[in-house]
Amino acid sequence: MKTKYLILLFSTSFFICCTSNKKNKVNKDTKELVTITKDSLIYSFVFLGCNRVDRHQEYDTTATNASTANLYVMKRIWNEVASLDNKPDLFFFLGDMVLGESTTKKLDSQLKAWVDLYKDTSFSSISSSGIETVAVPGNHEMLYYHDYGVKNHDEWPLAGATDLWMNHMGQFMPKDRDVVTGNDSINNQMTFAFTRKNIGFVLMNTDTYNTPTSKNPYGLEGQIPTNWIINKVEEYKNNPSIDHVFVLGHKPYYVFDNGKATPKTGHKGLPEGPVLWPKLRDNNVIAMLSAHKHDYQRMQPNGDKTYQVIAGNAGSPGEAVFFGYTKIDIMSSGEIQLTSMGFDKGNPYYMAVPKNPTTIRDQTILTWTKNANPYSN
């Protein structure tokens, strides 16, 4: 992976792409002829997660249908993304698209209904847009809720969830993906990697199923294949045709806690502390993109280099002040432009708000040095 060092000056208009790469202009003060290099868009992608409704709305037809998706928000986001002038090449859904977290019977019917919703062109134009959709599961697809009296633990691996996900959602996994092999391969079919243009993507299932043992009689979720992920990131870094690497998964590594970026994965499987994150920084990973927390946040946990961006504001109830999606544009100069688009939440959260346009809520260039404007609600 080639490392690029950029000195960036920008305004709120930097998202205009030009067809010409170079233009000559006379400096008014010095009368010098200055060559201005203008960017062209190489590749773009959208990412988001957490659109499922709350349990109180599971059977509320004003909020959802058999998919348990927040219908108003999902329809709006899918249609807006599909109609963008600079339409993204790729759409990542980072888990919790259905309520799940119950029985395999419910999960099976909800995932089937979600796929039907995605393909319903009378609901939205996303399936006919030409945008590639890639999905990974979240805890609501992989776990079930039960209070066994274990302190600080009420979610457990749902036996059969992996097979159901692969049956319904395997069509949203790239055919050309690299899959986990070797000792890491058990129950990790939904952790994979693939490339597009000059970009490497590594996707993690952060809520894998692990068989119950005498030590953990109810199973243990989230034992991600850390070694495979690190090896894949290193492989992409050393590939001269790859300039940018992103790691994606449902659960984030860091969240803002009292204004500070804090390791807070919520379970033992995505290891807190000096295991995964330093390897992402060492291998020039641009960002870890996640959901799970029902909010939008952008930070550089160590003050520079690798970003953590949380886009869990796609329609599930919670602390987010706006719903929407986040888009990343990869430019020919090497600039990586991020825009979070959003609209105000309804009251209740699954209803429309009159005169509520979608606007830019966060916009920046993901610089490798310290970014002066981290974002938190």
Side-chain angles (χ1 to χ4, degrees), residues 48-58 63-71 73-74 93-101 107 110-111 114 117 138-141 155 250 292-294 312-319 323 349-350:
L48 54 78
C50 305
N51 172 260
R52 54 87 185 170
V53 297
D54 198 11
R55 297 189 189 282
H56 299 295
Q57 284 76 50
E58 183 175 359
T64 190
N65 62 5
S67 71
T68 62
N70 183 331
L71 294 180
V73 176
M74 195 74 270
F93 210 120
L94 302 180
D96 284 12
M97 59 267 288
V98 302
L99 180 58
E101 213 179 37
L107 180 64
Q110 290 170 11
L111 288 176
W114 191 94
L117 191 70
N139 55 303
H140 277 257
E141 287 83 24
E155 287 184 319
H250 176 66
H292 188 56
K293 185 174 179 62
H294 297 173
N313 61 328
S316 294
E319 59 266 54
F323 288 149
Y349 67 95
Y350 50 84

Side-chain angles (χ1 to χ4, degrees), residues 176-205:
D176 60 341
R177 67 189 184 276
D178 294 329
V179 298
V180 181
T181 57
N183 293 332
D184 279 335
S185 65
I186 299 175
N187 297 319
N188 280 304
Q189 299 177 66
M190 291 92 85
T191 291
F192 55 90
F194 65 99
T195 61
R196 295 290 181 268
K197 298 289 186 177
N198 62 341
I199 311 159
F201 296 106
V202 180
L203 282 86
M204 303 184 297
N205 171 18

Side-chain angles (χ1 to χ4, degrees), residues 149-153:
V150 179
K151 187 178 180 180
N152 299 323
H153 212 121

Side-chain angles (χ1 to χ4, degrees), residues 249-370:
H250 176 66
K251 287 181 175 174
Y253 200 100
Y254 284 88
V255 299
F256 273 126
D257 187 8
N258 294 321
K260 182 180 179 181
T262 305
K264 204 170 186 179
T265 62
H267 60 78
K268 300 297 184 183
L270 186 58
E272 299 176 7
V275 181
L276 182 62
W277 193 266
K279 294 295 186 180
L280 304 188
R281 281 172 50 85
D282 291 346
N283 288 285
N284 295 351
V285 169
I286 301 301
M288 181 173 172
L289 310 176
S290 306
H292 188 56
K293 185 174 179 62
H294 297 173
D295 200 2
Y296 172 78
Q297 298 182 354
R298 172 176 56 80
M299 67 199 82
Q300 285 173 294
N302 297 91
D304 62 2
K305 300 185 178 180
T306 303
Y307 290 77
Q308 172 75 76
V309 184
I310 299 172
N313 61 328
S316 294
E319 59 266 54
V321 299
F322 66 93
F323 288 149
Y325 57 92
T326 302
K327 185 169 182 277
I328 287 182
D329 294 322
I330 308 295
M331 309 304 291
S332 60
S333 67
E335 281 187 2
I336 303 170
Q337 303 173 352
L338 177 145
T339 308
S340 180
M341 304 295 297
F343 48 91
D344 293 343
K345 292 168 57 175
N347 185 17
Y349 67 95
Y350 50 84
M351 298 297 287
V353 176
K355 297 181 180 179
N356 184 13
T358 299
T359 59
I360 295 173
R361 301 304 180 101
D362 181 34
Q363 188 177 58
T364 194
I365 294 177
L366 300 182
T367 59
W368 193 240
T369 54
K370 182 178 181 180

